[in-house]
Amino acid sequence: MSQTVDRALTILAALGEGPSSLEQAANRIGVHKSTALRLLRTLQEHGFVTRQSDHRYRLGGRLFSLAQQALETIDIRQVAAPYLASLNERYGHTVHLSVLEDGKVLHLDKAQSRYPDWPGPRLGPDGRFGHRAPAVASAIGKVLLADLPDDQLTAFLTAQQAGGQEIGSTADFRAELAAVRRRGWSMDEADGPAAVGLIAAPIAGTEGRAIATCSISAPAYEASTAELSRLVPELLCTVEAISLAYGGTPTPRWCENRCGAKHAERASRT
């Protein structure tokens, strides 16, 4: 049974890259076309796969429905949404909500920038939620990694190296993460007119550890590195407010006098 499930999941992953013929699906999982056909028909019966008029198969609507339901049950997205919108309204830059999943940064939500000629970082090929990016190469990822327990960070680094991900010296990377954790935020600097700068800070969960990040990004021609850096207090205020609303235990910063979020009135999660 586990082999059948593995084959079905492999087919779904392949279809995520685009429609496939029966022969292509069979080749992907290394089975005869009759075996692949049985799997595809079962997936089709449950709505996970649809057969097109050209006889190729693509992902079905049931899969997208389940994915959307799963995202909607992640309450941090619902809690954070008004704070992301508020930060976006004040400055016009793109604001992201992201988490760490399977060693990669998963973008859950965003408030789009107001620049008419720049769409901002997209969440996926069609701007959909769920796009994943390597955690070691971005300020967002480093903020999330910086708050991992040491054993989890060690396991992560070991897996990254085994997978061929270049991180340089492990000791240097750990030192960089330690600096990020002490500072409370991280930055990707824009190194050219067309480059994108980004600042990210952690959202604390109920145990005080980072469960997500909020980030602000902008192209260099709209906000220089220095200009983006000046928004760090506002970003820290925002993650403080989200943490309080979520029921976490963040370190007090500027929240009360900037956002109006009061530590004594922290909301409890339901």
Side-chain angles (χ1 to χ4, degrees), residues 154-190:
T154 298
F156 169 82
L157 293 176
T158 300
Q160 291 295 296
Q161 291 174 324
Q165 178 69 53
E166 294 185 8
I167 59 175
S169 165
T170 299
D172 290 345
F173 190 70
R174 282 179 174 274
E176 182 180 2
L177 294 183
V180 168
R181 185 172 185 179
R182 287 193 301 270
R183 187 168 61 240
W185 58 278
S186 186
M187 167 177 275
D188 288 331
E189 295 188 19

Side-chain angles (χ1 to χ4, degrees), residues 10 23 27 52 57 85 103 108 111 127 129 139 143 147 161 163 170 212 238:
T10 300
E23 183 176 1
N27 290 338
Q52 301 180 157
Y57 294 85
L108 293 181
F129 301 134
V143 166
D147 217 20
Q161 291 174 324
T170 299
T238 297

Side-chain angles (χ1 to χ4, degrees), residues 10-11 54 59 101 114 123 147 159 224 269:
T10 300
I11 286 178
D54 61 1
L59 295 178
E101 183 174 282
R114 298 199 296 268
L123 297 186
D147 217 20
S224 66
R269 287 197 305 134

Side-chain angles (χ1 to χ4, degrees), residues 44-62:
Q44 186 175 359
E45 288 173 3
H46 288 274
F48 293 114
V49 164
T50 296
R51 193 184 186 205
Q52 301 180 157
S53 58
D54 61 1
H55 304 301
R56 293 189 301 165
Y57 294 85
R58 62 175 174 81
L59 295 178
R62 176 77 185 283

Side-chain angles (χ1 to χ4, degrees), residues 27-200:
N27 290 338
R28 186 63 178 263
I29 59 177
V31 299
H32 192 272
K33 287 194 292 185
S34 61
T35 301
L37 182 59
R38 286 196 297 271
L39 285 171
L40 286 166
R41 283 178 173 172
T42 300
L43 291 170
Q44 186 175 359
E45 288 173 3
H46 288 274
F48 293 114
V49 164
T50 296
R51 193 184 186 205
Q52 301 180 157
S53 58
D54 61 1
H55 304 301
R56 293 189 301 165
Y57 294 85
R58 62 175 174 81
L59 295 178
R62 176 77 185 283
L63 192 63
F64 295 113
S65 176
L66 288 176
Q68 185 61 35
Q69 290 175 25
L71 285 173
E72 290 174 353
T73 61
I74 302 175
D75 59 358
I76 185 60
R77 181 183 171 195
Q78 298 170 353
V79 169
Y83 298 96
L84 270 61
S86 177
L87 194 59
N88 168 264
E89 288 169 4
R90 293 200 297 275
Y91 301 104
H93 304 315
T94 297
V95 182
H96 273 124
L97 174 72
S98 311
V99 297
L100 187 66
E101 183 174 282
D102 297 330
K104 293 186 177 181
V105 170
L106 172 65
H107 299 307
L108 293 181
D109 204 355
K110 77 171 178 179
Q112 181 64 58
S113 70
R114 298 199 296 268
Y115 319 137
D117 57 344
W118 188 72
R122 298 179 71 83
L123 297 186
D126 302 311
R128 295 192 297 265
F129 301 134
H131 179 63
R132 290 170 170 78
V136 298
S138 70
I140 294 174
K142 290 171 184 176
V143 166
L144 291 165
L145 293 173
D147 217 20
L148 286 180
D150 188 67
D151 59 337
Q152 293 183 28
L153 178 58
T154 298
F156 169 82
L157 293 176
T158 300
Q160 291 295 296
Q161 291 174 324
Q165 178 69 53
E166 294 185 8
I167 59 175
S169 165
T170 299
D172 290 345
F173 190 70
R174 282 179 174 274
E176 182 180 2
L177 294 183
V180 168
R181 185 172 185 179
R182 287 193 301 270
R183 187 168 61 240
W185 58 278
S186 186
M187 167 177 275
D188 288 331
E189 295 188 19
D191 56 5
V196 176
L198 181 146
I199 52 176

